[in-house]
Amino acid sequence: MTGTVHDSPTPWIADHIRRFMETGGHPRPGVADLLLTTRGRRSGLLRRTALAYVRAQDAYVLTASNAGADRHPAWYLNLLATPDVTLQVGALAFAATARPATAAESARLWPVVVAAMPSYAVYRTATTREIPLVLVTPNGATT
């Protein structure tokens, strides 16, 4: 993905991205964080956000919780429209492909996600929507 990257306009997320960059990808000790860049489904602009993740085999598992809001986060809607994304994990940035987890994958992965980030259990009870899990798989070599 080439072009100017626009960080989240949400102040606390923009601050998290800044801390991520300043710390070489470790803004919260003990928490697995990454940066996700998607292409805006309406604007076509590159959009970057910070997210917690867990690993499952060769995929990074992201939770489209939107803090329990009744609507999906913009980054999730963007990757549904364009599944080609960029991840930055630590100092390593690489191209990847994203897809929603299947029902069977979600059933298997939710306990792992909640064990890593207990707040996701609370978010699930705060909304009536099904909170999607997303599997992001690197495209070949990483740089």
Side-chain angles (χ1 to χ4, degrees), residues 26-33 53 116-117:
H26 304 285
R28 299 184 293 174
V31 178
D33 287 307
Y53 71 91
M117 292 292 292

Side-chain angles (χ1 to χ4, degrees), residues 57-120:
Q57 288 104 12
D58 62 342
Y60 294 83
V61 181
L62 309 179
T63 307
S65 70
N66 206 13
D70 286 330
R71 66 188 187 291
H72 293 308
W75 64 261
Y76 176 72
L77 299 173
N78 289 345
L79 66 79
L80 289 178
T82 305
D84 297 320
V85 301
T86 299
L87 289 186
Q88 183 172 341
V89 180
L92 186 66
F94 50 91
T97 302
R99 67 169 178 83
T102 65
E105 290 167 330
S106 289
R108 178 177 53 81
L109 291 170
W110 263 110
V112 176
V113 168
V114 170
M117 292 292 292
S119 59
Y120 288 138

Side-chain angles (χ1 to χ4, degrees), residues 17-39:
I17 294 168
R18 181 188 53 75
R19 283 192 322 273
F20 186 99
M21 299 305 288
E22 290 173 351
T23 62
H26 304 285
R28 299 184 293 174
V31 178
D33 287 307
L34 58 71
L35 298 181
L36 170 72
T37 302
T38 60
R39 186 158 306 275

